[in-house]
Amino acid sequence: MEAIAVKSYDAKVDSKKRITLRNANYDYFHIEEFSDGRIVLEPRILVKPFEVSENTLKMMDSSVENLKSGNVSEAIDLSAYGDTE
């Protein structure tokens, strides 16, 4: 299914080689420039880099509770990988 254009307008490159997007719905875009002069902008939604999901936090809490209660596996022998100190 081909996308339908919802806006069409001309833009002029300013003295710093920028163009203005009118009423853009996104703050970030991935840009591809082609040898024939076409420029394609794809909207991107960035996520916070150090945000931990609720599910991950629950899993971490569960792991700590298991550790505190002694519900753990046997120690893993890492001596094959060299000095561990």
Side-chain angles (χ1 to χ4, degrees):
M1 181 175 187
E2 195 169 318
I4 299 170
V6 293
K7 283 193 243 182
S8 178
Y9 57 91
D10 295 325
K12 181 183 182 305
V13 176
D14 69 11
S15 62
K16 293 184 179 181
K17 304 290 186 195
R18 301 175 296 192
I19 63 167
T20 300
L21 300 176
R22 298 178 193 158
N23 302 316
N25 293 328
Y26 297 91
D27 292 328
Y28 297 94
F29 293 87
H30 174 75
I31 301 161
E32 290 181 297
E33 294 184 38
F34 294 90
S35 58
D36 64 358
R38 287 182 302 128
I39 298 174
V40 176
L41 299 134
E42 293 180 345
R44 293 288 190 248
I45 298 174
L46 303 182
V47 295
K48 295 178 183 174
F50 300 109
E51 189 173 285
V52 180
S53 72
E54 188 68 32
N55 188 40
T56 300
L57 291 173
K58 287 179 185 175
M59 210 162 30
M60 290 169 61
D61 289 342
S62 172
S63 297
V64 170
E65 288 301 318
N66 284 336
L67 179 64
K68 286 180 179 178
S69 67
N71 185 15
V72 295
S73 64
E74 295 295 320
I76 299 172
D77 181 13
L78 300 175
S79 62
Y81 300 104
D83 189 19
T84 58
E85 292 182 33

